[in-house]
Amino acid sequence: GENVGLHLPTLSVQEGDNSIINCAYSNSASDYFIWYKQESGKGPQFIIDIRSNMDKRQGQRVTVLLNKTVKHLSLQIAATQPGDSAVYFCAENIQGAQKLVFGQGTRLTINP
Amino acid sequence: DTEVTQTPKHLVMGMTNKKSLKCEQHMGHRAMYWYKQKAKKPPELMFVYSYEKLSINESVPSRFSPECPNSSLLNLHLHALQPEDSALYLCASSQAGGQLYGYTFGSGTRLTVV
């Protein structure tokens, strides 16, 4: 499953399928990006990060892709599990600014 | 220790009350942050402390007063809040300067103003 439109706040996938969550970032001067997972009633949990001098980074079951040309970031989750159900946020750090700016988020629902 | 600890987890306060939110980290991070998060919205930055000095105030009303007593602690003092200030208040910490490696959030304080 994939949220092809960046204005779609929800994504539903079958358990075991792969998920792709997309994010457009706003500033070409952003040099560091983080994906967070937030479960209900909890704070954002770090998933994976990527620096602007890279275009791909892999973790355990997750991959982040960065396309600086179109200012686009994606998070791929392989073999989704029920525990992956959450809201996923991308966040960007504008170079020189001591802060993260968050995207609107995507709610991922895993269907059994 | 790789955690950011926030207390209390839940807080209900009246509009005339004074209360404080607390945040603690022992990761050696020298940047600490307060965010506000409304339901179904992303976190919004309120304040940034870098090396115990306030470096960013995102035009937050004065009824919110941050304090950084030392490199491990961050407080948010609340006074004369409005019901619309009800939200999840998140604390975060990271390395300071350059890229914000290790940016870690606490679990938040769920604040209700009545």
Side-chain angles (χ1 to χ4, degrees), chain A residues 31-36 45-59 62-66 73-75 91 100, chain B residues 95 99-103:
Chain A
D31 62 355
Y32 178 58
F33 305 86
I34 307 177
W35 278 100
Y36 286 95
Q45 176 188 359
F46 175 95
I47 302 173
I48 191 167
D49 59 359
I50 189 167
R51 289 158 44 176
S52 59
N53 62 352
M54 306 169 69
D55 54 20
K56 180 179 181 179
R57 190 159 188 235
Q58 290 184 288
V62 295
T63 300
V64 54
L65 299 178
L66 175 62
L73 198 65
S74 69
L75 176 70
L100 286 181
Chain B
Q95 296 183 20
Q99 292 172 341
L100 309 178
Y101 296 124
Y103 212 107

Side-chain angles (χ1 to χ4, degrees), chain A residues 68-94:
Chain A
K68 293 182 288 294
T69 302
V70 295
K71 293 190 287 187
H72 182 265
L73 198 65
S74 69
L75 176 70
Q76 300 177 4
I77 304 174
T80 51
Q81 303 168 357
D84 294 329
S85 292
V87 177
Y88 290 81
F89 291 102
C90 64
E92 61 183 302
N93 173 221
I94 301 168

Side-chain angles (χ1 to χ4, degrees), chain B:
Chain B
D1 188 350
T2 58
E3 289 187 347
V4 174
T5 302
Q6 290 188 244
T7 57
K9 292 191 183 305
H10 301 275
L11 178 63
V12 179
M13 62 183 291
M15 289 187 283
T16 59
N17 291 162
K18 288 184 180 181
K19 296 287 185 182
S20 296
L21 309 184
K22 297 185 184 301
C23 175
E24 188 169 4
Q25 58 87 15
H26 296 287
M27 294 180 279
H29 289 165
R30 300 304 296 275
M32 297 186 75
Y33 311 82
W34 281 115
Y35 284 82
K36 174 182 178 179
Q37 186 177 27
K38 301 286 274 186
K40 301 182 180 179
K41 295 291 187 182
E44 295 181 352
L45 183 70
M46 300 174 72
F47 302 104
V48 179
Y49 274 83
S50 182
Y51 297 99
E52 296 87 70
K53 294 190 188 309
L54 183 65
S55 59
I56 296 177
N57 176 341
E58 294 284 308
S59 302
V60 179
S62 59
R63 58 186 183 269
F64 296 91
S65 176
E67 177 196 19
C68 190
N70 60 54
S71 62
S72 299
L73 294 174
L74 186 66
N75 298 321
L76 185 63
H77 302 298
L78 314 173
H79 173 55
L81 295 193
Q82 303 297 311
E84 58 264 30
D85 295 321
S86 298
L88 181 68
Y89 287 84
L90 294 162
C91 174
S93 70
S94 76
Q95 296 183 20
Q99 292 172 341
L100 309 178
Y101 296 124
Y103 212 107
T104 304
F105 281 85
S107 294
T109 294
R110 175 73 61 187
L111 175 67
T112 303
V113 182
V114 297

